[in-house]
Amino acid sequence: MNNFNNMWDFPVTDGVSFLNANRVHPLMQKRVDTLISALKKDDNIRKLVLFGSSLEFRCNSYSDIDLYIEKYDKD
């Protein structure tokens, strides 16, 4: 269940404008913004879910970006 009240509220980096960017660690905000911009061009993507250390204080410059990508069923 999503409970945004229990999530971190990070400062948003200049130039980043995706929804709920304040929930993503500042080290990852520009990277996530770039990914979202690229993935928005794919009309077959139904849902993107970011999870993992990118949403936590334990995030560091070596952290990866964990994404769940759900696509439309072409049938």
Side-chain angles (χ1 to χ4, degrees), residues 20-48:
N20 295 319
N22 62 312
R23 303 302 182 189
V24 178
H25 194 283
L27 287 173
M28 294 296 174
Q29 289 176 0
K30 286 196 179 199
R31 294 179 191 175
V32 171
D33 192 47
T34 301
L35 278 171
I36 289 173
S37 294
L39 292 169
K40 278 184 176 180
K41 296 174 185 174
D42 186 342
D43 293 334
N44 196 33
I45 293 179
R46 181 174 173 219
K47 182 189 290 187
L48 293 173

Side-chain angles (χ1 to χ4, degrees), residues 1-59:
M1 178 184 294
N2 291 335
N3 187 348
F4 289 112
N5 294 328
N6 291 333
M7 294 180 69
W8 307 116
D9 190 15
F10 296 107
V12 178
T13 305
D14 288 339
V16 172
S17 61
F18 61 90
L19 183 65
N20 295 319
N22 62 312
R23 303 302 182 189
V24 178
H25 194 283
L27 287 173
M28 294 296 174
Q29 289 176 0
K30 286 196 179 199
R31 294 179 191 175
V32 171
D33 192 47
T34 301
L35 278 171
I36 289 173
S37 294
L39 292 169
K40 278 184 176 180
K41 296 174 185 174
D42 186 342
D43 293 334
N44 196 33
I45 293 179
R46 181 174 173 219
K47 182 189 290 187
L48 293 173
V49 178
L50 180 68
F51 63 97
S53 63
S54 295
L55 304 174
E56 301 173 357
F57 277 110
R58 67 185 173 108
C59 180

